[in-house]
């Protein structure tokens, strides 16, 4: 609680306000990119801050490179869905059900 995540692209803050292809989860800090384009290639790093603690940390840069041949590599995309048979929520509370897919 109280953490805020920001992603940097080539050492500049990634502006996501008008970008419908990119999303940063403020719950996990993960950056999601849909339909990767040539302009997405570059160095990404994550910065985490806590206003309550008055601290900020930045991770090392990770390079995103595009393959010219369009091949996904050794591991093809894999979609798994695992949900509990039943989910409980107290009346009047909030419930969150998530669905996502991962691929390389």
């Amino acid at each position: 609680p109280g953490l805020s995540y920001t992603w940097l692209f080539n050492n500049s803050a990634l502006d996501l306000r008008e970008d419908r292809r990119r999303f940063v989860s403020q719950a996990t800090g993960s950056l999601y990119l849909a339909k990767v384009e040539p302009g997405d290639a570059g160095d990404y790093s994550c910065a985490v801050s806590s206003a309550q603690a008055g601290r900020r940390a930045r991770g090392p840069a990770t390079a995103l490179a595009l393959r010219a041949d369009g091949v996904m590599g050794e591991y093809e995309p894999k979609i798994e869905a695992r949900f509990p048979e039943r989910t409980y929520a107290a009346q009047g509370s909030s419930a969150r059900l998530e669905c996502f897919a991962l691929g390389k």
Side-chain angles (χ1 to χ4, degrees):
L3 296 179
S4 178
Y5 302 94
T6 303
W7 278 85
L8 297 115
F9 176 63
N10 294 330
N11 289 318
S12 295
L14 196 56
D15 185 7
L16 303 174
R17 288 175 292 177
E18 299 296 324
D19 194 335
R20 296 180 185 259
R21 292 186 315 105
R22 300 176 191 168
F23 168 75
V24 175
S25 168
Q26 289 301 314
T28 64
S30 297
L31 171 65
Y32 298 92
L33 288 91
K35 298 181 182 177
V36 175
E37 297 175 352
D40 295 325
D43 293 327
Y44 290 84
S45 58
C46 178
V48 182
S49 60
S50 169
Q52 188 176 22
R55 300 208 50 202
R56 180 180 169 99
R58 180 175 167 183
T62 299
L64 174 65
L66 300 182
R67 292 183 61 129
D69 59 9
V71 175
M72 295 298 289
E74 184 179 338
Y75 303 101
E76 293 298 322
K78 181 178 183 182
I79 298 175
E80 290 184 10
R82 284 184 259 178
F83 303 102
E85 201 170 292
R86 182 171 292 158
T87 300
Y88 296 92
Q91 184 175 340
S93 69
S94 298
R96 182 174 77 186
L97 304 175
E98 292 183 300
C99 180
F100 61 92
L102 300 173
K104 294 186 180 219

